[in-house]
Amino acid sequence: MAHAQFHKNQRVYVRPVGTWALIERVVPQWTKGLESPIRIFYDVGLGREFGADELQADTSETPESDEQPSWRVIRARNKWQSTAETMNHPFPGTHPVVVTGDVEWGGWRVSAAEYALSPGRIETQARMIASLPRLHALMKKLSEWTEIAEVPTALRETLRECGEAIASAGDSVE
């Protein structure tokens, strides 16, 4: 009997297509009278279901605690507004959600009413928030550089502001 080799929302390489994708659904194929499925297929949103032999798991390791976190912008469906009502939005029928963890929930969200008032501003805010861990790491490197190397006078004020920003944010972005 078959057992699932991959799980929902796992990143896999789809060999026949030559691209990376997330598994949207695990689709077991059952036969009457058996306790477990005879085959497992995976829907990755590419038009057909793929077998486990056509997929390859992402082997990149998860970030360690001392590495910077991976914040990302995903799209969530507008539950209370139709696509016709949101045609002036950059991505009709959806709004941005910044995910700050390994799972697809948690993080930064905005109400549909606020998004409807200024979708461009909210989209910009979402991209800025998602880039904060990288900017924080860059600011830390710059502030550490001032302790090691001789810094030109023109950069001293900017590097001092970087140090203040790091101090006000705490030592790490998690």
Side-chain angles (χ1 to χ4, degrees):
M1 298 301 147
H3 296 282
Q5 295 179 2
F6 306 105
H7 57 82
K8 185 177 178 179
N9 293 329
Q10 182 177 359
R11 186 171 185 241
V12 293
Y13 183 74
V14 185
R15 287 190 198 119
V17 182
T19 189
W20 291 94
L22 288 178
I23 294 178
E24 295 178 359
R25 288 186 315 133
V26 177
V27 185
Q29 185 179 29
W30 294 92
T31 299
K32 190 174 186 175
L34 295 179
E35 295 177 6
S36 60
I38 58 171
R39 276 185 241 144
I40 306 280
F41 292 104
Y42 302 91
D43 181 4
V44 295
L46 295 175
R48 73 172 179 93
E49 295 169 350
F50 294 89
D53 58 327
E54 298 174 297
L55 305 175
Q56 179 180 346
D58 185 7
T59 57
S60 65
E61 295 185 20
T62 58
E64 299 295 324
S65 59
D66 58 340
E67 292 182 18
Q68 65 185 12
S70 173
W71 293 5
R72 61 207 175 279
V73 178
I74 62 171
R75 309 298 311 173
R77 189 175 62 83
N78 280 343
K79 295 179 182 177
W80 310 112
Q81 294 176 321
S82 68
T83 305
E85 293 175 301
T86 60
M87 287 309 294
N88 64 334
H89 294 181
F91 301 94
T94 66
H95 65 279
V97 174
V98 179
V99 177
T100 57
D102 294 335
V103 292
E104 296 296 316
W105 50 269
W108 176 85
R109 299 169 190 270
V110 67
S111 68
E114 185 177 351
Y115 182 73
L117 291 175
S118 181
R121 181 176 58 86
I122 300 299
E123 293 288 340
T124 301
Q125 287 176 357
R127 287 190 304 273
M128 287 176 66
I129 291 170
S131 68
L132 283 177
R134 289 181 305 181
L135 292 173
H136 184 266
L138 178 64
M139 287 177 23
K140 265 181 102 169
K141 285 180 185 176
L142 285 173
S143 65
E144 291 168 0
W145 182 53
T146 61
E147 299 168 4
I148 298 169
E150 185 62 32
V151 179
T153 312
L155 285 178
R156 283 192 194 281
E157 182 62 24
T158 303
L159 294 174
R160 186 188 61 74
E161 289 177 17
C162 285
E164 289 175 2
I166 291 169
S168 70
D171 193 43
S172 65
V173 176
E174 295 179 17

